[in-house]
Amino acid sequence: MSKFTLSIPAEKRRWFIIFVIFLAIVFNYYDRQIVSILKPMLKEEFSLGDDGYAMVLNVFTIFYALMYPVSGWLVDKFGERKVMLWGILGWSTACLGGGLSRTFGSFLFFRGMLGAAEPTNFPAQLKVVTVWFSGKLRATANSLCVAGSSIGAIIAPPLVAWLAMQYDFHTVFIVAGIVGLIIALFWFLIYTEPPAAIKQEAVGQDAAKGNEIGFTWGQLWKTKSLYGILLIRFVSDPVWYFCLFWLPGYLQEESGLTLAQIGMFGWIPFLVADLGAIATSAWSDKMVRNGKEPLLARKIMLSTIAVLAPLCCLTTYVNSPYLTIAIFALVAVACLSWLFTISVVIAEAFPVKNVASVLGIAGGFGALGAVLFNYFVGQMMGSLGAGTIFIAMAFMHPVAVLILWTMVRKEKPSDNAHKTQGFQVN
C-alpha cells in the first residue's frame, strides 16, 4: 500500500474505489456530451455544417479508437492505479485546453487529446472489478462503476445548458477540467491493490498468486472469442454513440426543442438507461448466485434485452419529441446493458492477465464502428433522412446477439502457453 493511500478496511475500500471510478466516468461522459448539447452553438462559433460537426466527433473518436488498445496493454503492463491516474489528468487537461481555445484548429487538437486520454478509464475499471469482486457480485459492481456513463449524460444537458446560457461555452469545458483534477486526487488517495484473500476469492488461487497462465499478445489474436467481442462492439457501439452525440442535436433541429428544453428533458433517456442497465446486470448476477454458469447468465440477459434496440424505427412514425425521447429511453436501456455487461463477458471468458488488453482492443473496434457510423450520419442525415439511419440501427443489436452465441466462449491457454514465443501481456 502506498504511504499516500488512506487507511480504509478492504471490504469498505472496494466500494469507495467503485464510487471514485463512478465519479471519473460521470465526468468522462459529461465531457463527451458537451459538444452534442452545444452543437448549434459550436456550429455557429466555428462556421460548421453537419460534415464539420462530424469532423469534431471523429477527431475525438479516431484518437479514442487508436488509444483504447494501447490503454488496455498499459493497464495489464503497469497496473490500473498508475494508468487510471494519468488518464484522468490527461483528459482534465484536454478539457481545460478546449475551454481556452479560440480557434477551430486548437479546439480540434484538444478534442483529439481528450480522445487519447479517456480510454484509460475502462480497461482500468474492468481490471479493478475483476480483481476486487467475484462472479457473484462482478456484474453489479461493474454496472455501478459504468453507470457513471449515463449519469454523466443525465447531468450534462441541464448543467451544460445552464453554464452556456449563464456564461459561455468556454466555461463549460473549464468546469469539467477542474472537476477532473479533483477526481484524480481522490483516486490517488483511495486506490490500492486488493488484499490476498479478496483477490483469491475474485480470481482464484493461481491468479491471486500471479501463477495463472495468460495468453501472449499473439495468442490472443488466435482466439475465436476475441474476434467475437470485437465484432460485437463494432456493430453495437454505434447505436449508443448516436444517443450520445446525435440525439440532443436531432431533438433540437428535427423535433423543435430549444436548448433550454434539452436541458429540462434531454437527460431522461440516460436515466432510464442507467436504471435499466443496473437492473439487468443485477439480474445476471442473480442467475449466477442461483447456480447458472457466469458466462451463460450474461448471454441470456444480453439476448433478452436486445429486443428493445429495434424500437428506434418507431421514431419515424411519431411527431412528438417527447415520444421520441421515450422510445430512445428504451433503446438506450439495451445499449447500456450491452456496454455494461460485455465487459463482464470479457472477464468471464479470458484470463485475468488479459482482460484489460482484450477490453482495450474491443473498445478500439467499437470506437472505429462509431467513427464510420458518425461519418455515415454526417453525410446522410440531410439527404436520406433520419428514418434510414434508424433502420440501419435496428439491425445492429440482433446481429450482436448472433455473434455472442456463435463466437464467444471461455478461452483457456494451454499449460505450455507461457513457453511459447511472443509478447506476454501481464
Side-chain angles (χ1 to χ4, degrees):
M1 183 183 296
S2 168
K3 63 181 179 179
F4 299 108
T5 304
L6 296 177
S7 179
I8 305 171
E11 287 293 334
K12 293 183 179 179
R13 181 184 296 276
R14 64 179 180 177
W15 295 108
F16 278 108
I17 291 169
I18 294 299
F19 180 66
V20 175
I21 295 174
F22 167 81
L23 289 179
I25 296 176
V26 165
F27 282 90
N28 182 295
Y29 265 73
Y30 170 89
D31 299 340
R32 299 186 194 189
Q33 281 290 90
I34 292 173
V35 295
S36 65
I37 296 164
L38 299 181
K39 178 184 175 185
M41 189 178 291
L42 293 173
K43 287 171 69 175
E44 181 178 353
E45 174 76 15
F46 297 118
S47 301
L48 304 176
D50 276 338
D51 55 346
Y53 175 70
M55 182 188 300
V56 173
L57 299 183
N58 279 345
V59 165
F60 166 87
T61 314
I62 287 169
F63 278 93
Y64 189 79
L66 292 173
M67 283 302 297
Y68 220 138
V70 176
S71 297
W73 174 79
L74 289 172
V75 170
D76 280 331
K77 184 69 175 177
F78 298 106
E80 57 274 19
R81 186 174 192 265
K82 291 180 181 178
V83 177
M84 185 87 158
L85 177 63
W86 284 108
I88 297 173
L89 291 173
W91 59 251
S92 300
T93 302
C95 285
L96 291 172
L100 297 173
S101 294
R102 292 298 183 271
T103 66
F104 185 55
S106 63
F107 184 74
L108 281 180
F109 171 82
F110 284 110
R111 292 307 290 180
M113 181 178 176
L114 182 72
E118 281 198 349
T120 56
N121 281 0
F122 293 100
Q125 169 265 321
L126 180 59
K127 194 67 172 282
V128 170
V129 169
T130 303
V131 299
W132 276 91
F133 294 89
S134 71
K136 296 178 181 179
L137 280 174
R138 186 172 291 149
T140 301
N142 183 75
S143 69
L144 292 174
C145 282
V146 294
S149 59
S150 51
I151 295 297
I154 289 166
I155 69 170
L159 183 55
V160 169
W162 181 79
L163 287 172
M165 291 187 293
Q166 287 292 115
Y167 303 98
D168 53 36
F169 79 84
H170 300 284
T171 303
V172 178
F173 291 95
I174 291 172
V175 167
I178 293 172
V179 172
L181 295 176
I182 295 171
I183 294 171
L185 177 62
F186 286 165
W187 178 257
F188 180 74
L189 295 175
I190 292 293
Y191 191 75
T192 187
E193 290 294 315
I198 286 181
K199 190 170 184 179
Q200 182 173 326
E201 180 188 9
V203 298
Q205 186 172 355
D206 288 342
K209 292 181 178 180
N211 297 328
E212 184 189 47
I213 299 171
F215 292 104
T216 66
W217 185 260
Q219 289 167 345
L220 274 179
W221 288 96
K222 296 178 181 178
T223 62
K224 186 176 183 180
S225 294
L226 176 64
Y227 290 96
I229 296 291
L230 301 191
L231 288 173
I232 287 169
R233 292 292 302 264
F234 184 81
V235 300
S236 63
D237 277 24
V239 184
W240 178 242
Y241 276 86
F242 181 91
C243 294
L244 287 175
F245 291 152
W246 291 95
L247 183 59
Y250 172 79
L251 290 170
Q252 291 177 75
E253 296 175 343
E254 302 293 331
S255 298
L257 294 185
T258 65
L259 179 59
Q261 288 173 318
I262 289 292
M264 292 173 62
F265 304 110
W267 53 269
I268 292 175
F270 303 104
L271 175 61
V272 174
D274 211 20
L275 296 176
I278 292 173
T280 57
S281 297
W283 174 38
S284 72
D285 274 345
K286 184 177 180 180
M287 284 191 278
V288 175
R289 290 195 294 272
N290 290 337
K292 192 79 70 179
E293 193 274 325
L295 185 56
L296 178 60
R298 317 308 178 194
K299 288 184 176 183
I300 291 171
M301 183 278 285
L302 290 173
S303 302
T304 303
I305 203 66
V307 300
L308 295 177
L311 294 177
C312 61
C313 287
L314 297 178
T315 55
T316 58
Y317 302 103
V318 300
N319 296 319
S320 167
Y322 304 106
L323 282 176
T324 299
I325 288 174
I327 291 169
F328 267 99
L330 296 175
V331 172
V333 170
C335 293
L336 212 56
S337 294
W338 275 75
L339 277 175
F340 282 10
T341 301
I342 205 66
S343 298
V344 182
V345 168
I346 292 171
E348 311 290 9
F350 288 89
V352 175
K353 292 183 177 182
N354 300 124
V355 294
S357 294
V358 174
L359 181 63
I361 300 167
F365 270 75
L368 176 61
V371 168
L372 298 176
F373 196 69
N374 282 337
Y375 178 80
F376 170 75
V377 174
Q379 296 295 316
M380 303 301 178
M381 180 73 87
S383 57
L384 296 180
T388 303
I389 294 167
F390 295 154
I391 290 172
M393 288 165 54
F395 287 95
M396 292 179 173
H397 280 86
V399 170
V401 170
L402 293 176
I403 297 169
L404 178 66
W405 285 97
T406 57
M407 296 187 68
V408 179
R409 63 190 182 189
K410 191 166 185 64
E411 299 285 356
K412 294 182 179 180
S414 61
D415 291 338
N416 64 347
H418 64 291
K419 299 177 182 178
T420 60
Q421 298 298 314
F423 179 78
Q424 178 70 44
V425 183
N426 56 22

